[in-house]
Structure formats: structure tokens, C-alpha cells
Amino acid sequence: MKKYHVAVVGATGAVGQRILQQLTKRNFPIETITFLASKRSAGKEIQFSGQTYVIKEAVPEAFDGVDFAFFSAGGSVSKALAPEAAARGAIVIDNTSAFRMDPEVPLVVPEVNRHDLKQHNGIIANPNCSTIQMVCVLEPLRKAFGLKKVIVSTYQAVSGAGAIAIDELKKQSNHFENRSDISADILPVRSGEKHYPIAFNAIPQIDVFTDNGYTYEEMKMINETKKIMHMPELKVAATCVRLPVVAGHSESVYVETESEGVTIEQIRNILTEAEGVTVMDRPEDAVYPMPLFAEGEDDVFVGRIRHDIDDPSNLHLWIVADNLLKGAALNSIQIAEAIIEDGIR
Amino acid sequence: MKKYHVAVVGATGAVGQRILQQLTKRNFPIETITFLASKRSAGKEIQFSGQTYVIKEAVPEAFDGVDFAFFSAGGSVSKALAPEAAARGAIVIDNTSAFRMDPEVPLVVPEVNRHDLKQHNGIIANPNCSTIQMVCVLEPLRKAFGLKKVIVSTYQAVSGAGAIAIDELKKQSNHFENRSDISADILPVRSGEKHYPIAFNAIPQIDVFTDNGYTYEEMKMINETKKIMHMPELKVAATCVRLPVVAGHSESVYVETESEGVTIEQIRNILTEAEGVTVMDRPEDAVYPMPLFAEGEDDVFVGRIRHDIDDPSNLHLWIVADNLLKGAALNSIQIAEAIIEDGIR
């Protein structure tokens, strides 16, 4: 079996760490691995598969000879270096939002639009975490009976804001009694002027606001869903909310479908057969997905499947997945695996 | 000014305690106050306005001479005793779900359907917490331009499940590191077979499931909204989720309206003028409602007001209120105040 030279840019971050775990767990065919970071982090040591590696500075020449470059070091790093890596023959799998809406860059969830990988020009974008888990469930429904509109409200974990946000929730959680006076430095947006406690709270802002009153996170869900599913006509409405949950994004999804007379049992069967999806939907036994139990799991979990009482062709779904795994690291590795399997590299 | 004989049934519970606070804070015209409970709690002492009272057993005769009886001791107590109290001339304001959908019983949020109080037969029902805060915002929108459909996903606090649920969240919050092994005894439903941790989690079940796959909490939001707003034709779809938040329910509400060409500024103005509603909606300054800061506040807060990008007559709203105050105790007292002001008693 052919083996590859893999580069990881941003290996010490929350997503980067999960990428290393997944490379090992999934036995990715690595011949050589190179760890790259900004000048500031270059020279530091990192452990991988029982060996110690020295992190090198991410300069364009560092990508010479690299087959797969996984980027998760922020949008500006990707913007500067991903084209350089691609020009040197690497296939970049980028976890940032830098290239997601670039018409020349495939935005891929292998279970949904694996075929788009063939059109790559050296860069493949990994979608936003909250988008990935949703489209994994929407795609089999689209295939079965068509979709018209999606209205989603999210319940997102702090791990999506990095290891520092996890630390902040940990500290704040010890202040149950004086919770309204908890100090905060990270959320909703680290570089912003105002910070709010996340412990014992819900913050209806993820990422910064755009001019239309939506946050970037909401616009990502709207735009990326249409691109991945090749449905520019699909209506998507989104509200994104951060919760005091460590890992695991949850989504209350309302779907207007073209179905008529489809039973809940048929929908459960369609989703049970869908790749990467696990149905957890036995309300009579209090069985449904929850983020606390999705942490560390590969699959996207779906439950609370119901018809709208007034409009029976519309459905309610409750979708949960580990945002750092299927929402980020795992999907990136699956993209690389698909490229190998399909002979694209 | 006339003063009244007030009875409080269930004064030691989470809602009962807030009822006592509100009676004092709002200077309710009390001549006599009587505290009633089950045989088990009778004989215990309770403090009110600097005085000590002995709790009496809630037997039918205990309501003789009572003007206003506030019930918050569970549905079975209300079912058994509210008609007895009403038969003895008391006006019962019931915080349980026992009589909410009874066509003979007004279900009242004073800002919305105060006029319904005139039709009372001795019992007035206080709606479900998550319903009250939503209709306070929906009603001014209905008046201004009509409503067709409401799709709501809730983010509900543990205080809605009583003081024991608050204690459970408090204990569990100290177990950040071993969070997937946290023991749980209360949620989602205390009397149920399975219990899940709420700390660092989101539980998509509030109250037990009905046969149609919806929970009672979801069905309450659907049915009570139509009754309070006198809109049997209004479509309501609901998903109710419990969060690790102490107090303050939040709601992501999507509304299909009859409006055309209404600006967000006009909607903010309509809601700013609405009684009991505070608009907190300056996304550019990261200003929006959050449950941590709604705790202890009287008003219903609304923000994140946006048009749907694809369907501009539809709106997104983020609605937050203290579920034990406007969602329960405060609304009950406001019902009694309206009865007095309107000369109904």
C-alpha cells in the first residue's frame, strides 16, 4: 500500500490534536509526518505515535514533497500558505473558513458530495462543524423525498472556540453561587470588546456579526449547506447559540420536505441506512442523542424525529455530533481517505 | 384601598417562594395571608414579611373567606382542591397545568388576553413558563401585522424542574473532569426510569412524552399559545430542551408573519412599546438577551431580531425571561392585580 508524506499545520490546537489522534486511530498510511507552525511555535516539540518531533516553521518551502497538508491554524495562515502548499503539489485539506465559498474549491463531506473531490485544484475545504453534522442527515432525506427549507437552531459546545474556551468553562463552573459576577475573557469572540460568562448561560452569538444582523456562524450554515448539497435554491435559516457544554454540538432542525405520507418509521429506516449516521430515537425509553454522550464518537446522531402536527410533510430532527471529530478532524481525514480510495492522488 | 385574604398553596416550592417575594415586592393589598400544604408539610413554620406563620393543612374548609388562592403544589393538588376553593368564593390562580386547556377556565397573560379574566368561574390558569414569555412578544407582532406560524426551539433552565433540579446542577457542576460519569437522579423527569446529567449537557426532553412523539412541554407550548392568543388557526411547532442554566428560559423563535416591507427598526419600535417587553438588540455592540442576566428580572427580553433572508416577511427572535418570575410567580400576581383593577373582584 502506498504511503504518504503528511504535514499538519496547527497541530497543537484543539482540532490539530484531534487530527493527530484520528491519523493514528484510523491507521492513515503515513510515510513521513511534518509538523508546521508559526515562527513563534517553531522549535517546540510534539509527540506523535510514541516519537518526538520538532515543529518547523511553516514557510512555503516546508511543503516541498508533501502529499497531504492538514491546515487548522486559523484563516490567515491558510490564506497565506495553502496556495503555496498546493503550488508545490500538496493536496491541502483546510479546516478554516478561508476558501470554503471559493467556487474553485470543493467543500466536502464525503457522505454527501464525495464526487466534488475530483474537481480540486490543490485545496479542499472542510466545512464548518455545525454544517457538517446537519448535511449528513439532510442528504439522505433529500435523496428520499426532496427538501424545500431548513430552519435550524443550534446548541453549540465551547470546544468549537478552542482549548482556551474549554478552560474558561472549567473555571467558571466552580462559581455556581456567584454566577452573575463570573469574569469572562474568551466568549463570544476572543478579540471582541465584550465577554460574557458561558457557565450557567446561553450566548446567542458565535463568531462576529455581519452587516445583515446574522453572525458569520449563521451565514456559514446557510451558505455552506447550499454549496455542499448543490442546492442553491434550498432555503436555510439559522440561529447559532453557544452553551456550557464542553464538546458536542446539538441542533434542533425543522425541515420542509416534499414528502407526503411518509411514516416516521420509514424516515428512521432511511437514516439508519445512511453512512455515518446513527439513529437514537426511542422516546418511549427516553432514548435520544445528547452532547455529553456524543463526545469522542465518530457518528452523527439523530433523534426526536417527528412530523409537524399542522404540516405533516415537515419534520423535526434533533442532531448531535462531536464538533471536533465529525465536525472537523475526522471529516478532514475522511476527505484524505476518499482521495486515496478514489485514485485522485 | 380594599385589602384581601390571600392563601398560598405550596409556598415552600421554587414557584411558591417567588410568589411570596412578589407579593411583598409589589405591595399586594393583603389583609390576611394563609399558608396551606399537604398533611405532610402542615405544622411547619414559614417566614413572610418578618413574621412567622404556621402552615395549615390544605382541606376544603381552609379556603373559607379566602379572596385569592395561589396554587403551585402540583397538578393533583390543584385538581382536588381548586374547585373546592372556588366553590367557597375564592378566585383560584393556578400555576399547574391541571385546568389550562379546560374551556371553562381562562388561561391568561395579562399583557395578551386580560379581557378573558371576565369569563372566569372561580379558577384562572397561569400558562406554562415557556409559553408566557413567547406570547408576550408574539401578541404585539400579531396586532401589528398578523401571524401564520411559529416554530420555536427552547433553551430551558433547570429551575423549571424545581429546587431539587437546581441542587442537582450545582452538585454536578463540580465534576468537569469526570463529566460523562456524573450520577443523576432528577432530570429529565424525576419519576422516570432514566436520569441523565444536565451539567455540560443538553437534554431534549422536558416533561414526559405523549403518544405523538412530542413531550407534554412541547404540546403545552402548541396548545396554550393558540388558546391565549385566540388563534386556533395559528400553526405552532415546538422543540423543548433543558440546559445547564439555573434560571431563565431562552427561545429561538421563527415567525411566519403577514408583514411585507416592515423594517427591523419598525419591529423594534413595536416591541419597545409593548407592555412587559424590553428590547435588547444591538448586535453591533454584542447586546442581546441572555438567561444569566435575566435571572431576577420582571420583563421579557427580546433580541437577535432579523428577517429570514429567503422569506423576508418571516422573522427570527431570541426571547429570554426568568421562568420563575414572568413565567410563573409574577404572572400569577399580575393576574390578581388585573382582577382587582378591572373590578372583577
Side-chain angles (χ1 to χ4, degrees):
Chain A
M1 189 186 183
K2 195 173 172 223
K3 293 193 168 185
Y4 300 89
H5 183 173
V6 169
V8 180
V9 186
T12 57
V15 172
Q17 285 291 305
R18 298 305 186 293
I19 286 177
L20 300 191
Q21 285 170 14
Q22 292 291 318
L23 287 171
T24 305
K25 183 180 169 193
R26 297 176 73 85
N27 209 11
F28 193 84
I30 297 173
E31 185 171 76
T32 312
I33 188 160
T34 302
F35 295 96
L36 301 171
S38 63
K39 198 167 190 172
R40 188 169 47 83
S41 293
K44 289 186 185 162
E45 292 187 341
I46 191 163
Q47 303 294 318
F48 178 70
S49 269
Q51 283 194 272
T52 303
Y53 293 81
V54 176
I55 300 177
K56 294 182 194 158
E57 187 180 348
V59 292
E61 299 72 32
F63 295 95
D64 285 332
V66 167
D67 296 302
F68 290 103
F70 296 97
F71 275 72
S72 64
S76 57
V77 173
S78 290
K79 269 184 195 145
L81 285 172
E84 296 284 355
R88 282 167 173 76
I91 292 183
V92 171
I93 299 167
D94 183 26
N95 245 295
T96 78
S97 61
F99 298 99
R100 285 182 191 149
M101 295 311 295
D102 184 330
E104 303 295 313
V105 173
L107 181 68
V108 177
V109 179
E111 295 89 337
V112 178
N113 62 334
R114 179 174 180 143
H115 52 91
D116 285 341
L117 291 171
K118 296 196 180 80
Q119 268 77 51
H120 83 83
N121 290 307
I123 302 176
I124 294 151
N126 193 73
N128 183 44
C129 46
S130 45
T131 310
I132 292 175
Q133 67 184 70
M134 186 167 78
V135 297
C136 282
V137 176
L138 292 182
E139 176 64 8
L141 300 180
R142 183 195 67 76
K143 269 192 202 151
F145 40 71
L147 302 178
K148 290 190 288 187
K149 180 162 185 166
V150 179
I151 301 166
V152 55
S153 295
T154 71
Y155 300 69
Q156 294 184 232
V158 297
S159 59
I164 45 171
I166 299 175
D167 285 345
E168 179 142 295
L169 171 59
K170 183 179 172 180
K171 274 183 232 156
Q172 292 176 346
S173 297
N174 295 323
H175 295 274
F176 181 94
E177 297 295 352
N178 61 339
R179 59 190 173 274
S180 59
D181 297 323
I182 289 173
S183 71
D185 299 310
I186 308 298
L187 295 169
V189 176
R190 193 181 184 185
S191 60
E193 285 181 21
K194 287 188 191 163
H195 296 107
Y196 303 118
I198 186 62
F200 315 110
N201 200 15
I203 303 179
Q205 181 188 351
I206 297 182
D207 208 334
V208 297
F209 281 95
T210 68
D211 288 342
N212 66 1
Y214 286 71
T215 59
Y216 272 94
E217 184 81 0
E218 289 156 357
M219 293 310 299
K220 286 173 196 169
M221 291 197 79
I222 293 168
N223 294 326
E224 293 181 17
T225 299
K226 298 178 195 206
K227 178 171 175 176
I228 298 165
M229 298 184 76
H230 292 275
M231 293 183 77
E233 75 287 6
L234 180 68
K235 296 176 175 182
V236 184
T239 299
C240 292
V241 181
R242 186 81 70 188
L243 297 192
V245 165
V246 180
H249 286 352
S250 308
E251 296 173 346
S252 172
V253 180
Y254 181 86
V255 194
E256 296 183 7
T257 79
E258 313 259 10
S259 75
E260 257 180 63
V262 181
T263 68
I264 293 300
E265 210 42 50
Q266 286 172 309
I267 293 164
R268 286 180 186 144
N269 288 341
I270 288 165
L271 292 174
T272 298
E273 284 168 27
E275 200 188 340
V277 173
T278 295
V279 174
M280 287 186 74
D281 193 26
R282 286 187 290 117
E284 64 279 15
D285 298 321
V287 171
Y288 33 68
M290 287 180 280
L292 188 59
F293 305 109
E295 198 176 339
E297 299 287 335
D298 286 355
D299 264 14
V300 175
F301 298 91
V302 59
R304 299 297 328 272
I305 304 168
R306 291 161 287 152
H307 292 297
D308 182 338
I309 295 169
D310 296 311
D311 292 312
S313 60
N314 299 350
L315 294 175
H316 288 282
L317 306 161
W318 174 253
I319 302 171
V320 180
D322 188 321
N323 50 303
L324 295 185
L325 294 182
K326 185 56 190 170
L330 173 59
N331 195 68
S332 291
I333 307 297
Q334 286 170 327
I335 287 172
E337 290 170 347
I339 287 170
I340 295 170
E341 281 170 30
D342 296 353
I344 299 169
R345 161 132 234 155
Chain B
M1 190 188 185
K2 191 169 177 228
K3 292 192 169 185
Y4 299 88
H5 182 174
V6 169
V8 181
V9 187
T12 56
V15 173
Q17 284 291 304
R18 297 306 186 292
I19 286 178
L20 300 191
Q21 286 169 12
Q22 291 291 319
L23 287 170
T24 305
K25 182 181 168 192
R26 297 176 73 84
N27 209 9
F28 193 84
I30 297 173
E31 186 171 76
T32 313
I33 189 161
T34 303
F35 295 95
L36 301 171
S38 64
K39 200 168 189 172
R40 190 167 48 84
S41 293
K44 288 186 186 162
E45 292 187 342
I46 191 164
Q47 303 293 319
F48 179 70
S49 269
Q51 281 194 274
T52 302
Y53 293 80
V54 177
I55 300 177
K56 294 182 194 157
E57 188 181 346
V59 292
E61 299 72 32
F63 294 96
D64 286 332
V66 166
D67 295 303
F68 289 104
F70 296 96
F71 275 72
S72 64
S76 57
V77 174
S78 290
K79 269 185 194 147
L81 285 172
E84 297 283 355
R88 281 165 174 79
I91 292 181
V92 171
I93 299 165
D94 183 26
N95 245 296
T96 77
S97 62
F99 297 99
R100 286 183 191 150
M101 294 311 296
D102 184 329
E104 303 294 312
V105 173
L107 181 68
V108 177
V109 179
E111 293 89 337
V112 179
N113 61 335
R114 178 175 181 140
H115 52 89
D116 285 340
L117 290 170
K118 296 197 179 81
Q119 269 75 53
H120 84 82
N121 291 308
I123 303 176
I124 294 150
N126 194 73
N128 184 43
C129 46
S130 44
T131 310
I132 292 175
Q133 66 185 69
M134 186 167 78
V135 297
C136 283
V137 176
L138 292 182
E139 176 65 8
L141 300 180
R142 183 195 67 76
K143 270 192 200 151
F145 39 70
L147 302 179
K148 290 190 287 188
K149 179 159 185 167
V150 179
I151 301 166
V152 54
S153 294
T154 71
Y155 299 69
Q156 295 185 229
V158 297
S159 59
I164 44 170
I166 299 176
D167 285 346
E168 179 142 294
L169 172 59
K170 183 179 173 180
K171 272 183 235 155
Q172 290 175 348
S173 296
N174 295 323
H175 295 275
F176 181 93
E177 296 296 351
N178 61 338
R179 57 190 174 275
S180 60
D181 297 323
I182 290 173
S183 70
D185 299 311
I186 307 297
L187 295 169
V189 176
R190 193 183 183 184
S191 59
E193 284 182 21
K194 286 188 192 163
H195 296 107
Y196 303 118
I198 187 61
F200 315 109
N201 200 15
I203 304 179
Q205 180 188 351
I206 297 182
D207 207 334
V208 296
F209 281 96
T210 68
D211 287 341
N212 66 0
Y214 286 71
T215 60
Y216 271 94
E217 184 81 0
E218 288 157 356
M219 292 311 299
K220 286 173 195 168
M221 291 198 78
I222 293 169
N223 294 325
E224 294 181 16
T225 299
K226 297 179 194 207
K227 177 170 176 176
I228 298 166
M229 299 184 74
H230 292 274
M231 293 183 78
E233 75 285 8
L234 180 68
K235 295 177 177 182
V236 184
T239 299
C240 292
V241 181
R242 186 83 70 187
L243 297 193
V245 165
V246 180
H249 287 351
S250 308
E251 296 172 345
S252 172
V253 180
Y254 181 86
V255 195
E256 295 183 6
T257 80
E258 314 260 11
S259 76
E260 260 181 61
V262 182
T263 68
I264 292 301
E265 209 43 51
Q266 287 172 309
I267 292 164
R268 286 179 186 145
N269 288 341
I270 289 164
L271 292 174
T272 299
E273 284 167 27
E275 201 187 339
V277 174
T278 295
V279 175
M280 287 185 75
D281 192 27
R282 287 187 291 116
E284 63 281 14
D285 298 322
V287 171
Y288 33 68
M290 285 179 280
L292 188 59
F293 304 110
E295 197 176 338
E297 299 287 335
D298 286 355
D299 264 15
V300 175
F301 299 91
V302 59
R304 299 297 327 273
I305 305 168
R306 289 160 288 153
H307 292 296
D308 182 338
I309 296 169
D310 297 310
D311 291 312
S313 60
N314 298 350
L315 295 174
H316 288 282
L317 307 160
W318 174 254
I319 302 171
V320 180
D322 188 322
N323 51 302
L324 295 184
L325 294 181
K326 186 57 189 170
L330 173 59
N331 196 67
S332 291
I333 307 296
Q334 287 171 327
I335 287 172
E337 290 170 347
I339 288 170
I340 295 170
E341 280 170 29
D342 295 352
I344 298 168
R345 165 129 233 157

